[in-house]
Amino acid sequence: ASPIVFVGYGLKVAATEKLPAYDSYKDLDVTGKWVFALEDIPEDVSSELRAHYNTYSRSQHKATVAKNLGAQGLVLIQNPMLKGSDLSKVKF
């Protein structure tokens, strides 16, 4: 049994000259833990950010990020019921 941690969308996006960084893992220690992340990207972003985030939203990329941060494994959550809801209320 290993602890789990919810990391939102599981994105680690580098900043560009025009766009800010986005880090779902900020202030989280996932070493040795199972990471739970939502598939896709946040819905409430501009089309410019959506295009930029798409590069980092593939499941293979999310798995690589989790692994590089020391996670035990990754579980991607696909749930249309979560879209538009307050994710702070999601409990694991």
Side-chain angles (χ1 to χ4, degrees):
S2 298
I4 61 173
V5 62
F6 178 65
V7 296
Y9 287 94
L11 297 174
K12 250 182 119 53
V13 180
T16 67
E17 288 181 17
K18 296 180 181 180
L19 302 172
Y22 185 100
D23 188 356
S24 297
Y25 291 87
K26 184 179 180 195
D27 300 325
L28 295 175
D29 178 12
V30 298
T31 305
K33 300 172 185 170
W34 279 88
V35 169
F36 279 53
L38 297 171
E39 287 188 329
D40 204 23
I41 60 175
E43 290 183 1
D44 59 347
V45 297
S46 69
S47 58
E48 185 178 25
L49 279 176
R50 181 168 283 282
H52 182 57
Y53 290 173
N54 274 333
T55 304
Y56 302 90
S57 68
R58 292 181 182 88
S59 57
Q60 293 165 322
H61 183 77
K62 290 183 180 189
T64 300
V65 169
K67 179 181 177 184
N68 289 344
L69 292 172
Q72 177 94 16
L74 170 69
V75 176
L76 291 175
I77 304 164
Q78 181 182 32
N79 186 344
M81 298 296 289
L82 291 176
K83 292 188 179 204
S85 64
D86 182 358
L87 297 179
S88 68
K89 296 179 182 174
V90 176
K91 303 289 184 208
F92 291 97

